[in-house]
Amino acid sequence: MSTATLDSVFIVDDDPAARDSMAALIQSRGLQAETYESGEDFLDRYDRSKSGCLVIDVRMAGMSGLDLQDRLVEEGIDLPVVVITGYGDIPTAVRAMRNGAATFLEKAPGHNKLWDSISQAMENGAATRSERLLRYEIRRRLATLTPDERRVLDKLIQGRPNKTIARDLDLGLRTVELRRAMILQKMLASSLAELVRMVVQAGDYPLPGPDTPGSDGGIRAPSYPR
């Protein structure tokens, strides 16, 4: 797995031997390792501009690993998290996973298992960031549309053909065609199908609908005019 796009693995554990052991493993795989003796230490010293993977111990003096996860959520720090504990139980695991933990491991999981978990968490984190950046870019493009173009876009997302849009919005057909072309240009979409996928992916609209009964009595998704 490729982890070249990420900066470091951040290790938070109040056991110096455990920190050193994990840091040595990370460095032996060609990545940087940053160690912190507590959750408070991490929050004080972590450079928010860095991406990477966070490895935290659940039971620590002061702030617990789960409390640190809560703070990450509150502060909007978006890091994939591997949680390690010597006192694994279902409620702890559930809370860790609800707070976004990629993996929940028992203490001393072994180098191969630990590295596999870290590597997978980093891969997932990179994919999540890419998706988030894409959504941001699509929303930026949507913000460039005029109110009149947004009204036409709303109808396009509903699967309305140009003639229907013209009638619904009391516009000339040529006006609708020009606004549709401008929307595609501003959104950098090569087709209406691509435009729909982009807008739905951005989360700006619900999935296009309504669903339409098929000839067999089932449900099929609406088709979009080309």
Side-chain angles (χ1 to χ4, degrees), residues 25 40 62 92 95 165 167 175 208 217:
L25 169 65
E40 294 88 345
T92 300
R95 180 179 168 190
I165 296 173
R167 184 179 65 249
T175 299

Side-chain angles (χ1 to χ4, degrees), residues 67-82:
D67 290 338
L68 175 56
Q69 273 192 288
D70 289 338
R71 287 288 300 276
L72 297 179
V73 173
E74 290 172 7
E75 297 190 19
I77 298 175
D78 187 14
L79 290 172
V81 179
V82 174

Side-chain angles (χ1 to χ4, degrees), residues 148-189:
D148 287 340
E149 289 165 351
R150 285 294 292 238
R151 282 189 282 272
V152 171
L153 176 61
D154 291 343
K155 297 295 183 179
L156 291 172
I157 296 301
Q158 294 169 17
R160 308 291 191 193
N162 289 352
K163 290 182 180 179
T164 302
I165 296 173
R167 184 179 65 249
D168 289 349
L169 299 180
D170 194 22
L171 297 171
L173 179 59
R174 182 57 178 164
T175 299
V176 172
E177 292 172 345
L178 290 173
R179 288 180 185 173
R180 170 173 163 163
M182 183 57 68
I183 290 167
L184 290 171
Q185 180 180 326
K186 287 184 176 181
M187 295 299 297
L188 303 181

Side-chain angles (χ1 to χ4, degrees), residues 16-60:
R19 289 200 306 271
D20 292 344
S21 175
M22 286 187 281
L25 169 65
I26 300 308
Q27 291 164 351
S28 73
R29 303 299 175 106
L31 294 177
Q32 296 179 358
E34 298 184 14
T35 60
Y36 304 85
E37 63 184 12
S38 67
E40 294 88 345
D41 183 33
F42 174 78
L43 292 171
D44 286 343
R45 296 196 292 117
Y46 168 60
D47 180 352
R48 265 80 168 162
S49 68
K50 287 188 175 182
S51 59
C53 175
L54 179 62
V55 180
I56 57 176
D57 188 15
V58 168
R59 303 255 177 147
M60 296 184 289

